[in-house]
Amino acid sequence: MPTAQAPPAARAPKPHQRIDRVAIRFAGDSGDGMQLTGTKFTESTALAGNDLSTLPDFPAEIRAPAGTLAGVSGFQIHFSSTDVRTPADQPDVLVAMNPAALKANLGDVRPGGMVIINSDAFSDKSLERAGYQDDPLPDARERFRLVEIPLTRLTFEALADLNLSQREGARSKNFFALGLMYWLYGRPLESTLRWIASRFSGEIAEANRRVLMAGIHFGETSELFPVSFEVPPAKIEPGLYRNITGNTALAWGAVAASVQMERPLFVGAYPITPASDVLHELAKHRHFGIRTFQAEDEIAAAAAAIGAAFAGQLALTVTSGPGFLLKQEALNLAVMTELPIVAVDVQRAGPSTGMPTKTEQADLLMTIHGRSSDSPVPVLAPATPGECFSVMIEAFRIAVKYMTPVVVLSDGYLANSAEPWKIPALETLPRTPVVYHSEREDFSPYRRVPDTLARPWAIPGTPGLEHRIGGIEKQDVSGNVSYLPANHQRMTDLRHEKVERIAAEFPPLEPRGAGSGRLLVVGWGGTHGAIATAVDEARAAGREVAHLHLRQLNPLPRDLGAVLARFERVLVPELNAGQLVRILRDRYLVPAQSYSKVQGQPFHVSELRAAIDRALEA
Amino acid sequence: MAEPVAGAPAALTRKDFESDQEVRWCPGCGDYSVLANIQRVLPEFGIPRENFVFVSGIGCSSRFPYYMNTYGFHTIHGRAPAFATGIKLARPELSVWVVTGDGDGLSIGGNHLLHAIRRNVDLQIMLFNNRIYGLTKGQFSPTSRLGMKNKSIPMGVIDHPVDPIGFALGAGATFVARVIDVDAVGLQEVLRRAYAHRGTAFIEILQNCPVFNDGEWQALEDRRTRADAGLPLEHGKPLVFGAKGRRRGIRIEHGVPHVVELADDADPVAAGVTVHDERVERPAYAFSLASLTPPDFPTPTGVLRAVERPSYDRLLEEQVATARQQRGPGDLRALLHSGDTWTVE
């Protein structure tokens, strides 16, 4: 066993077989470190040059009872030498650290796929705790390529001469699984070793390193694995890449907006799954002048952000569905006072507390219609984790240019899933420095810029522009309190018209596949990868179908009606009970069909393929 | 208190702080007096008008910002402290005042008031307490007295009332004062002290609602009764009250207040009367003052507590400064390139 010298590449002397793509799912108890294992495997896979997509899937409980189905945590990664847009419907390989992980995940594995288990964890007691009446392994041996490895024992053996407790030692066993998978798919090791050295110290660092290496050596020497696999690098656009999750991209996009607009960022937030990581990431960067404020509740978080916007900062509030609902009142004030804030809703499965760690896209109608009275806000939705970066720059640009709150709808899937992201050159990012209103002559707080209808952003501290704003209806131009009937009509119309005018800036819609024809599949948000893959597959199979993915949900693009009219049929797949489809029917009077899924899980490509075929046949 | 701003303007007057909006409170409302006294005091602070921001929630008193010729934000019910916190954190150089009422601040907004106070955000919070909902026309508020009969509870209030001063002290307030709406001298003095305080200055203003709860504070306002009903506090002076011939003092022993009868020429300190010390670090003394309520005790007015603790906005600025010192100004390119990256040829 090597000790201190440079590690060998994880490349076996055994023959290796070239494959195009593979999907692996790591599953274990919440305490088994499966998210960490998946994340490290993802980083290494990205460095190997594959295209990839991931799906972390974990319980809301911090530590559900050990060994139970409720406590199973999973992480799926799909990687390929070609284009990958989804985490894959079915894993080809399942790594199950205990019987509960096997039980929760075996049904998803591709028939004949590989199932690697920690055989040490399969005692009668643990089988019972997972709810198995009979030993599942005989059946699994028939249906899958079952690989049984005494992972706990091998971990302890690797640590025999270290001075670690049983508990500390057992913690390293996920590194054995990781090492084995590194060997099996020829992943580079260096970044993980560097990470272990920086993240841990002393015997724990040594233990994790040794167990990782033991996993690799086990692959090399064990007869359980006659071959290893090679997944060649993908042909993707040249450039400098990194992995990014949607939540990190949202945070970095906000930082980039602040830098490019030359104004400090204020973040009002209250912890909520799955949005908290955006707050965590932004909280790390005080040196950018970012003031993160963890408020007493969601309402105060939004209120503080609006206060900061009134005072002239770029203001952000980040939450998930139940928190977004609480912010609606504050958002209504931002509509009335026409102040620029960005509110992000990382949607999760509901209603009420629902399933906090599971994805859904069911807050669209609440976002558009969920405030008292007529209260239009622009709504943007990123389609991929990487787009979460650019959408934030765009959201702040629109907020400031039009003096309006802007909502960004992400979701639990985008939040946690990762993809390779081409790091943008700074020169390519929009640069729109903020200029506050300072001209005293003819100043009125609601005197609008003629083309955008934006009111002036006149911030406290500016001499001569003292004024009062608030939630009471404003007199046009002067901003004074007004209850006049005709004025309310005019102000309501102006608020509506201002938001509608944003659509003048949207690029023309270009459906993927065809500009007209039999069927158009219209999606929005984080379902992009699954829909695009399904449509491509359907087209490859000769179906006459195209894909349009909406990034702007309010206002809708001006050419949307014309695009819809060029297709005989419209299918709208959504992870909700049918929301965008209602908007499209209402707005364009098209007989759009809904394809709905609300299971807390992303679409499978196969489901969408079948839905496309049905829509074409009907 | 806001930092002094370079190039302070020519002296301002009360007129400079009056907006062009017609004041629309009911005739005889206590709010008029508070407005007038604020407009009188602000020019003394020597900072430009544009650096003042008045933030309010919902209710009669929350119309206040419209009448001030400063920056103003009339927000939503109960949330003014949260908006004000955002303004102050964004721009610590501004002088940010919150105007709220007993309903706005202690009912729907109790949570935000609690957290603004315990964070010690550098704000002046004026809570107008008239013990009634005025704007919605006469329902009981969280400070309404037990048994009080009104529209929403004709058989009499059964909610135990909250004491604004005790609430603020419980939240860890560093500055707590109580004033009477019509007491111009007392009001102005407390406003000056509140402005000078670094941190949350909480002021309960006992305010008369002539329409729905007239005379609630009459004993404190009336010339004939106020000497016996009130206890004006002065730092370093004994707790003495009462008209000539009925002179009394308050002795606080183990947190429990007692009334001490005093001859007109008696030395109160020698008689065991407690000397007011607003700077006592532990809040128990201030709580004892807060527990002085009629009919057994006079109502203390003036500054009950004034201690020092770093304000939240200052601590936040220090973190930003420290982060910049340690890591330099933010570098977007370095951020995007941090961690593992790879090049695709």
Side-chain angles (χ1 to χ4, degrees), chain A residues 447-567:
Chain A
R447 190 185 301 285
R448 297 170 188 281
V449 176
D451 58 338
T452 61
L453 299 179
R455 72 176 193 90
W457 198 4
I459 65 168
T462 316
L465 304 187
E466 295 84 358
H467 66 280
R468 278 67 55 193
I469 57 170
I472 302 186
E473 182 61 289
K474 305 287 171 299
Q475 187 179 49
D476 189 17
V477 184
S478 79
N480 290 333
V481 170
S482 169
Y483 285 80
L484 294 175
N487 180 72
H488 180 52
Q489 178 81 55
R490 174 158 174 76
M491 293 301 274
T492 302
D493 293 345
L494 280 169
R495 287 187 284 266
H496 176 79
E497 172 64 16
K498 182 171 86 164
V499 170
E500 284 300 317
R501 284 193 189 185
I502 299 167
E505 295 193 42
F506 297 161
L509 293 174
E510 285 171 18
R512 296 178 56 258
S516 63
R518 289 256 291 146
L519 176 67
L520 180 67
V521 182
V522 182
W524 67 280
T527 55
H528 177 271
I531 298 175
T533 306
V535 167
D536 286 357
E537 285 183 19
R539 289 186 64 79
R543 306 286 190 278
E544 203 189 328
V545 55
H547 174 203
L548 178 68
H549 214 75
L550 295 178
R551 268 89 172 168
Q552 298 96 7
L553 283 315
N554 196 48
L556 289 165
R558 289 178 176 177
D559 49 350
L560 179 55
V563 170
L564 294 176
R566 289 200 288 270
F567 289 84

Side-chain angles (χ1 to χ4, degrees), chain A residues 234-256:
Chain A
K235 283 179 205 65
I236 44 184
E237 198 185 329
L240 185 68
Y241 282 77
R242 60 169 306 119
N243 268 337
I244 200 152
T245 63
N247 272 350
T248 304
L250 285 172
W252 288 6
V255 177

Side-chain angles (χ1 to χ4, degrees), chain A residues 416-459:
Chain A
N416 293 313
S417 70
E419 65 172 8
W421 180 59
K422 188 176 170 187
I423 301 171
L426 297 195
E427 333 48 281
T428 65
L429 300 179
R431 225 186 119 60
T432 49
V434 169
V435 181
Y436 303 117
H437 190 88
S438 61
E439 182 56 55
R440 293 183 195 212
E441 188 122 351
D442 281 338
F443 170 73
S444 281
Y446 279 74
R447 190 185 301 285
R448 297 170 188 281
V449 176
D451 58 338
T452 61
L453 299 179
R455 72 176 193 90
W457 198 4
I459 65 168

Side-chain angles (χ1 to χ4, degrees), chain A residues 28-31 35 57-66 68-73 273 353-358:
Chain A
D29 225 28
S30 311
Q35 299 306 320
D57 188 14
F58 45 87
E61 294 77 14
I62 304 302
R63 287 279 186 278
T68 63
L69 285 179
V72 174
S73 173
T273 302
T353 305
M355 302 195 288
T357 57
K358 310 299 178 193

Side-chain angles (χ1 to χ4, degrees), chain A residues 383-398:
Chain A
T384 65
E387 268 184 36
C388 289
F389 178 80
S390 50
V391 80
M392 292 302 283
I393 299 175
E394 176 70 352
F396 275 107
R397 188 189 69 79
I398 290 174

Side-chain angles (χ1 to χ4, degrees), chain B residues 194-223:
Chain B
Y195 175 77
H197 181 71
R198 293 179 176 274
T200 303
F202 177 82
I203 310 167
E204 180 193 16
I205 300 175
L206 307 183
Q207 175 246 326
N208 190 44
C209 173
V211 176
F212 296 107
N213 197 19
D214 195 25
E216 182 67 31
W217 311 111
Q218 190 167 6
L220 290 163
E221 291 165 350
D222 194 315
R223 240 171 247 287

